[in-house]
Amino acid sequence: MSTAVLEVSELTVRFPVGAARLPVVDGVALRLERGKTLALVGESGCGKSMTALALMRLVPKPGRIEAGSIQLEGEEIRELPVAAMRKIRGGRIAMIFQEPMTSLNPVRRVGVQVVEAIRLHEKISRPDARRRAIELFERVGIADAPTRFETYPHQLSGGLRQRVMIAMAIATHPAVLLADEPTTALDVTIQAQILELLRELQRSEGTAILLITHDLGVVAESADRVAVMYAGRVVEEASCRELLRAPRHPYSRALLAAMPAAARPGARLAEIPGTVPPPAQWEQGCRFAPRCEFAVENCRQTVPPLLAFGAGRGVACPIVAAGPCP
Amino acid sequence: MSAALLSNLIVAALVALAIGLAWLVRRRPLWRASARELWRRRPIALAVLGLYACVALLDAVSWVGGQAPDTAAGTSLLAHPRSVVDRLFPADFQERSYSAPLADVEFYGGFKLLHPGAHLLGTDIIGRDVLHQTLRGARVALLIGGLTSLIAIPLALLLGVGAGWLGGRFDDLVFFLISTLASMPSLLLLVALVMVLGTGTAQVCLALGVTGWVGLCRLVRAETLKLRELDYVKAARVLGASDLAIVLRHVLPNLGHLVLISFVLMFSGLVLSEVMLSWLGLGLDGSWGRMIDQARTELSRQPLVWWNLFSASIALFGLILAANLVADALRDVLDPRTATERE
Amino acid sequence: MIAFILRRLAFGAATVGGVLTFLFMLFFLYATPEDMARRALGDKAPPQAISTWIANHGYDRPLAWNPDAPADTLLVEHFRRSLSFDFGRSDADGMPIYQRIREGVGPSLALTLPLFVLGLLFSVALGLVVATFRDSYIDRAGLVLCVLTMSLSILLYIIGGQWLLGTVLRWFPVSGFDTDPAMLLRFVALPVLVGVFVSFGEQTRFYRTLFVEETSRDYVRTARAKGCGDGRVMWRHVLPNALIPIVTHVVVAIPLLFTGSILLESFFGIPGLGSMTVEAIHGNDFATLRAMVFLGSLLFIAAQIATDVLYTLLDPRIRLG
């Protein structure tokens, strides 16, 4: 087993709502390995993006990381001073976002924004940084890089903008890349190109990628391991192949069954009854219990821990873990 | 019909309206929740506003008669109707000139006062009780705010909703009207209007209304344009509801928060505008602006007379501050944009 | 782009026409020349004197309809004279208005320009600070201060400032004006100070809202994820974006610099256009007031067009289409 680049445990992010402090991310544990991709999967609002922002220590106010540890290459960064953390952001951990349109500064040229990313972390002259940035543009497959360098975000297509974001992210050879729905806002053909680009970069740089997505097709294509999140908690973690072949947690199963590729042609798609409840209505125990067909009374009372289920696999469901699966 | 009777009737109508509104708010859960939240956030400011409103309303209820004071001119003082606020003070509660708060003698000259030690905030240049004058200012302030809003809000709603909903030529016309009025410097326009129209209460309020409706109209127009494109409004159209029905049922209720917020904001702006008008000699009788304007020269007297300025300023400041705070809280509670942010 | 500017100019011209029409209705239709004469001469003036006054001021024309000479009407005359800046003579003392306006602009600008620059810098800076420390005690204290200063009448600032800093502490002269720069500075300092105080609450709140809205955008998150510090995020990323609404907000305020500050000028004895307006109000001088309103709106309309053009220049999304 290779070494962990980023190891997260018991990560908890809370937001104050009225008098209560709701755990939007609740005791999440993740492990990213060099050159590997971990996919974080779940419906919208389940805390995936918040988890990624928490790893960067960029939880928007008034939210706060209240517990847990974030170890980057063996170094604990949860309590690191702000200045040191700034060095890590965009340096050793980089992030790309879902909306390449709004995620780039609309009134500054895209090249300048990449140069800024380089110069924030390296002592390098402006012309040198510029040269590097143009190389990066070529590297991420932007044709006609010197011209594109001088354009504004609105003049580029969505795919190109995302390539700029990626160029910006890999400018400093980060050990970890957090990709928050990097392809959701793009056309299907562009999606494939961007995923391919990320895979290619990963192969040559050995970057560990945390791929946040709600698209299981993307997962099947790119991930090595998968963590399924529901309502702020990781409910199942497994290798990509195992999870896609035989999901264990009732939620993972439901999620997979709802995927069009899993259904027989002509058959009705399965659906999960109900919706993800908002944080204020979360159960004391297992948060999936209200929508789960196997739930028993105990499910609503106690929080199920992530139980080992075979090698390198964890399922947060005592019912599934205990017996032969129903 | 006498002025006093009319004024009493208006107060009765206003009280009835307030009770009706309160009843309506109680019945609608969403409104009630908003009202609760507002009260939770700004209890003091709301109470202060309520107090001002009470004083103003009580000062508008008046009748003839009462206990005559035992001075020579006593009975003649009772010939005019006196309001509830007036009746808090003796009918002949007047000195000959300035006296300091709670003084026993006149400020200049040292003549004995008729009511030694009774003038809590002193008396002004012609001996009127300053506390009494200050309390009466509340009615003038609320009259300005209320009457002007009565002119400006319906005008803004009518033209704004009309322009936004109908579009086309009518929209062009309203937009042109708004641009024209908005391009004139507001204070200059206000002054010009008051000079031409005259300086009565109705005229001043009309002038304030003409300058005040533009901003709200612009907001209402933009919001209506937005609402018109919303799915449920479109759906109502497709289902064949008449324009008037859609406007009444879907558009106007969704403008309520805008109108309410603008009203409170406008209110403090109007009262402050009146102060400026007073200083230009175009204000209303008995307003705090007048008092402040008169008190201006008093600061250069030796020794200086401060209580007039002080009382009017504090009264004005209290009202404006309370209105501003309530307006902010209202915006937080009602504006859907900030409301979603809170969740 | 050029089509846009042309369309904008056409609408501006139409608005000028609208303003002139409004003024005509207010000053000639509602308040007739006879009313003006009566106000100027008093109620007991003999009819002869009134008609002389009307003739002297050039108001002895048919209102808008003259079959014999269609151009010779008050309406046409009002448009012609206003648009050629021939404002005629004051109704009160017969002085040529245009000349007085020219004399008044200088002193007005001497007050309003420093007031504008200082007020802008002060409130933008404070807005940036409170927005950077959003939801902290600094932010809350700043906001409370803003609401408090907003709730006081400008009259109180003037009276209080004059009395405290002028009369009691004697830091500044209470009022007056001088063309000598050193003296001018002494005279202008107090009104500028008062003016900044009057406007800063509302302005700071405006800029704070603007910055806060801007900081919640996605590109700010990207900048932070790149490793930018708070200061860099604000100066390099938020400010350039916020500049667009700031410019819009600021350019529109420029006409007010020329028309001067009515209250500050007359209280502090600065012989600018504000003082002139006050004199016109006290002297029932409709002609001067009319000229001031027209000039004010003309400048405002020009500024609005300038804003729209500037807007397109500042925002690459519009500039480069």
Side-chain angles (χ1 to χ4, degrees):
Chain A
M1 199 174 205
S2 59
T3 50
V5 183
L6 189 72
E7 182 138 35
V8 180
S9 58
E10 288 303 313
L11 184 67
T12 302
V13 175
R14 281 176 198 269
F15 274 77
V17 173
R21 300 185 60 80
L22 301 175
V24 178
V25 175
D26 193 0
V28 164
L30 298 170
R31 186 183 151 90
L32 266 75
E33 285 164 18
R34 204 180 131 72
K36 292 276 160 56
T37 299
L38 171 69
L40 196 55
V41 185
E43 286 166 276
S44 37
C46 70
K48 295 170 299 188
S49 297
M50 199 51 70
T51 306
L53 286 174
L55 299 184
M56 293 284 248
R57 300 236 325 255
L58 283 175
V59 174
K61 283 179 192 170
R64 227 163 63 82
I65 302 178
E66 295 212 330
S69 115
I70 308 168
Q71 289 199 335
L72 176 66
E73 294 172 322
E75 180 193 4
E76 176 60 53
I77 61 169
R78 181 163 97 81
E79 301 287 347
L80 223 51
V82 177
M85 197 58 220
R86 273 211 298 274
K87 287 269 141 236
I88 291 175
R89 288 181 201 140
R92 290 159 68 193
I93 308 179
M95 189 160 179
I96 52 183
F97 299 96
Q98 174 178 358
E99 250 319 318
M101 176 70 230
T102 53
S103 296
L104 288 167
N105 192 331
V107 304
R108 302 180 79 203
R109 292 169 200 277
V110 289
V112 177
Q113 299 187 45
V114 177
V115 167
E116 185 186 29
I118 298 171
R119 280 170 53 88
L120 275 170
H121 296 283
E122 280 173 55
K123 277 197 169 30
I124 176 171
S125 76
R126 225 175 267 275
D128 287 346
R130 197 191 136 85
R131 226 163 292 137
R132 269 268 299 283
I134 291 181
E135 276 168 36
L136 280 166
F137 268 44
E138 282 161 355
R139 179 91 205 279
V140 297
I142 298 178
D144 199 9
T147 321
R148 292 275 159 69
F149 195 82
E150 301 294 340
T151 55
Y152 287 93
H154 76 275
Q155 295 173 302
L156 300 177
S157 67
L160 279 178
R161 277 190 288 242
Q162 197 59 290
R163 283 174 199 269
V164 171
M165 283 296 292
I166 293 172
M168 203 149 77
I170 61 165
T172 52
H173 308 285
V176 178
L177 182 64
L178 309 176
D180 186 0
E181 308 256 8
T183 59
T184 309
L186 303 176
D187 289 344
V188 183
T189 45
I190 313 286
Q191 277 190 15
Q193 289 173 18
I194 295 289
L195 287 177
E196 178 52 40
L197 173 66
L198 285 176
R199 264 201 305 276
E200 193 270 314
L201 290 170
Q202 181 174 49
R203 268 196 298 277
S204 58
E205 305 256 336
T207 320
I209 297 182
L210 180 70
L211 180 69
I212 294 168
T213 183
H214 63 263
D215 184 345
L216 289 168
V218 171
V219 173
E221 217 174 313
S222 326
D224 299 295
R225 290 185 66 77
V226 183
V228 181
M229 257 184 108
Y230 185 80
R233 291 192 188 134
V234 172
V235 292
E236 177 160 9
E237 211 215 310
S239 77
C240 182
R241 191 145 34 97
E242 275 179 78
L243 189 104
L244 290 180
R245 204 192 56 213
R248 291 293 172 201
H249 193 277
Y251 177 65
S252 316
R253 291 194 207 187
L255 202 61
L256 239 75
M259 193 166 90
R264 276 173 287 111
R268 242 183 102 86
L269 274 185
E271 54 184 299
I272 312 175
T275 53
V276 186
Q281 291 162 24
W282 282 350
E283 295 279 320
Q284 226 177 14
C286 175
R287 286 173 187 161
F288 189 61
R291 299 168 76 184
C292 179
E293 50 183 314
F294 310 115
V296 296
E297 190 45 40
N298 193 38
C299 289
R300 296 167 193 274
Q301 301 305 322
T302 48
V303 182
L306 203 63
L307 301 167
F309 190 91
R313 182 163 200 181
V315 180
C317 181
I319 295 173
V320 173
C325 84
Chain B
M1 192 160 39
S2 75
L5 187 57
L6 181 67
S7 156
N8 292 352
L9 282 176
I10 291 176
V11 172
L14 281 176
V15 171
L17 190 73
I19 292 174
L21 262 177
W23 180 75
L24 219 82
V25 168
R26 272 187 71 88
R27 277 188 23 143
R28 309 236 170 150
L30 216 66
W31 293 10
R32 197 163 66 182
S34 297
R36 281 242 173 88
E37 177 66 16
L38 190 69
W39 174 252
R40 196 185 64 79
R41 284 172 180 235
R42 293 270 176 256
I44 297 174
L46 278 171
V48 168
L49 275 192
L51 192 68
Y52 274 94
C54 282
V55 171
L57 288 179
L58 288 179
D59 192 33
V61 177
S62 57
W63 65 94
V64 179
Q67 177 76 50
D70 356 305
T71 44
T75 41
S76 73
L77 287 170
L78 298 180
H80 299 288
R82 293 190 305 137
S83 73
V84 178
V85 169
D86 295 335
R87 282 163 201 273
L88 294 175
F89 303 91
D92 63 338
F93 207 47
Q94 185 153 10
E95 309 299 335
R96 276 182 301 270
S97 181
Y98 288 119
S99 67
L102 296 174
D104 291 330
V105 293
E106 277 179 28
F107 196 58
Y108 301 107
F111 289 108
K112 188 116 178 51
L113 293 182
L114 290 169
H115 303 270
H119 297 288
L120 202 61
L121 291 169
T123 55
D124 69 1
I125 188 161
I126 53 170
R128 289 177 300 188
D129 183 72
V130 171
L131 178 62
H132 188 186
Q133 296 296 314
T134 310
L135 289 178
R136 295 182 67 166
R139 185 174 59 95
V140 181
L142 265 75
L143 187 65
I144 296 166
L147 197 56
T148 309
S149 309
L150 217 60
I151 298 168
I153 290 179
L155 194 65
L157 272 180
L158 199 68
L159 292 183
V161 172
W165 187 257
L166 299 174
R169 281 285 157 80
F170 188 67
D171 185 31
D172 290 344
L173 184 74
V174 171
F175 190 73
F176 175 69
L177 203 64
I178 294 175
S179 311
T180 301
L181 279 176
S183 71
M184 289 181 257
S186 56
L187 186 57
L188 278 176
L189 177 63
L190 184 62
V191 166
L193 279 169
V194 176
M195 271 182 75
V196 171
L197 297 176
T199 49
T201 308
Q203 286 93 327
V204 169
C205 288
L206 185 64
L208 285 167
V210 167
T211 49
W213 70 277
V214 177
L216 179 61
C217 184
R218 190 176 285 184
L219 280 177
V220 166
R221 176 179 168 271
E223 193 69 17
T224 309
L225 277 174
K226 216 181 331 169
L227 287 171
R228 196 172 63 163
E229 297 306 317
L230 286 186
D231 287 341
Y232 72 91
V233 176
K234 277 187 181 161
R237 281 182 123 168
V238 172
L239 289 174
S242 75
D243 275 20
L244 189 68
I246 302 176
V247 166
L248 287 180
R249 207 163 307 146
H250 296 301
V251 179
L252 280 181
N254 281 303
L255 295 171
H257 69 282
L258 266 184
V259 172
L260 194 58
I261 295 166
S262 307
F263 167 67
V264 182
L265 273 180
M266 194 160 86
F267 182 83
S268 54
L270 291 171
V271 176
L272 288 176
S273 295
E274 196 278 337
V275 176
M276 296 234 255
L277 283 179
S278 287
W279 171 77
L280 291 167
L282 304 171
L284 297 182
D285 276 331
S287 73
W288 293 320
R290 273 286 169 85
M291 287 177 76
I292 293 173
D293 181 43
Q294 281 162 6
R296 198 154 43 100
T297 50
E298 294 168 357
L299 282 182
S300 50
R301 283 171 180 266
Q302 285 300 334
L304 68 95
V305 172
W306 53 267
W307 48 91
N308 231 331
L309 180 67
F310 173 81
S311 317
S313 313
I314 292 291
L316 182 67
F317 179 65
L319 179 61
I320 304 294
L321 183 62
N324 280 342
L325 289 174
V326 169
D328 282 355
L330 257 179
R331 188 164 28 200
D332 290 348
V333 172
L334 294 183
D335 195 335
R337 265 200 316 181
T338 47
T340 44
E341 222 170 82
R342 254 184 311 127
E343 278 170 3
Chain C
M1 180 75 190
I2 291 180
F4 167 75
I5 293 177
L6 282 179
R7 218 170 43 235
R8 199 62 196 79
L9 282 173
F11 186 73
T15 321
V16 173
V19 169
L20 282 173
T21 311
F22 179 82
L23 289 177
F24 181 79
M25 294 200 303
L26 192 63
F27 284 102
F28 293 98
L29 282 180
Y30 189 85
T32 59
E34 208 180 311
D35 292 339
M36 291 190 248
R38 267 185 216 292
R39 289 230 197 161
L41 302 172
D43 277 339
K44 295 191 188 75
Q48 186 59 40
I50 287 180
S51 51
T52 323
W53 188 95
I54 293 175
N56 279 345
H57 286 81
Y59 297 150
D60 55 346
R61 292 182 171 85
L63 263 178
W65 176 242
N66 189 353
D68 304 325
D72 191 28
T73 62
L74 273 179
L75 181 66
V76 173
E77 196 59 11
H78 166 66
F79 268 72
R80 191 187 63 73
R81 287 170 116 200
S82 300
L83 291 173
S84 58
F85 298 111
D86 170 17
F87 299 122
R89 291 169 183 280
S90 149
D91 285 349
D93 54 11
M95 290 272 286
I97 295 171
Y98 182 69
Q99 190 195 333
R100 287 185 53 177
I101 289 178
R102 268 184 45 185
E103 284 167 7
V105 166
S108 275
L109 285 180
L111 167 69
T112 52
L113 216 55
L115 176 57
F116 173 71
V117 173
L118 282 178
L120 180 67
L121 289 180
F122 192 52
S123 33
V124 169
L126 206 69
L128 257 179
V129 169
V130 288
T132 312
F133 299 99
R134 180 154 54 122
D135 292 330
S136 69
Y137 286 106
I138 299 176
D139 184 24
R140 242 161 277 158
L143 285 181
V144 168
L145 194 69
C146 286
V147 177
L148 286 179
T149 54
M150 272 166 68
S151 301
L152 273 172
S153 164
I154 174 169
L155 225 54
L156 292 173
Y157 283 104
I158 297 176
I159 298 173
Q162 256 180 347
W163 179 73
L164 187 70
L165 301 177
T167 312
V168 177
L169 296 172
R170 295 186 180 283
W171 288 356
F172 304 101
V174 171
S175 78
F177 192 75
D178 204 305
T179 43
D180 174 58
M183 286 302 286
L184 179 67
L185 202 65
R186 273 177 54 78
F187 279 124
V188 165
L190 182 56
V192 166
L193 196 71
V194 170
V196 168
F197 246 87
V198 170
S199 67
F200 111 98
E202 211 175 327
Q203 296 301 311
T204 304
R205 270 163 58 115
F206 173 82
Y207 291 121
R208 177 189 176 275
T209 316
L210 212 140
F211 289 132
V212 165
E213 205 175 297
E214 208 57 49
T215 42
S216 68
R217 298 205 191 271
D218 286 351
Y219 71 83
V220 172
R221 196 180 52 185
T222 310
R224 286 193 199 284
K226 255 196 251 183
C228 291
D230 282 342
R232 202 182 164 84
V233 166
M234 276 295 175
W235 284 100
R236 286 299 183 80
H237 290 272
V238 171
L239 198 57
N241 276 281
L243 219 52
I244 298 162
I246 291 180
V247 165
T248 322
H249 183 71
V250 162
V251 175
V252 174
I254 289 177
L256 298 174
L257 304 184
F258 290 93
T259 52
S261 163
I262 291 184
L263 288 152
L264 287 174
E265 282 179 25
S266 56
F267 261 104
F268 290 96
I270 296 165
L273 294 181
S275 296
M276 195 179 96
T277 311
V278 174
E279 278 167 39
I281 293 165
H282 289 315
N284 272 318
D285 184 352
F286 287 81
T288 305
L289 204 60
R290 207 165 55 216
M292 286 301 295
V293 176
F294 173 67
L295 218 61
S297 23
L298 200 65
L299 286 164
F300 182 84
I301 292 165
Q304 268 194 322
I305 296 175
T307 314
D308 286 351
V309 174
L310 256 176
Y311 200 101
T312 57
L313 290 180
L314 272 176
D315 192 336
R317 280 163 295 190
I318 299 174
R319 177 172 17 120
L320 304 170

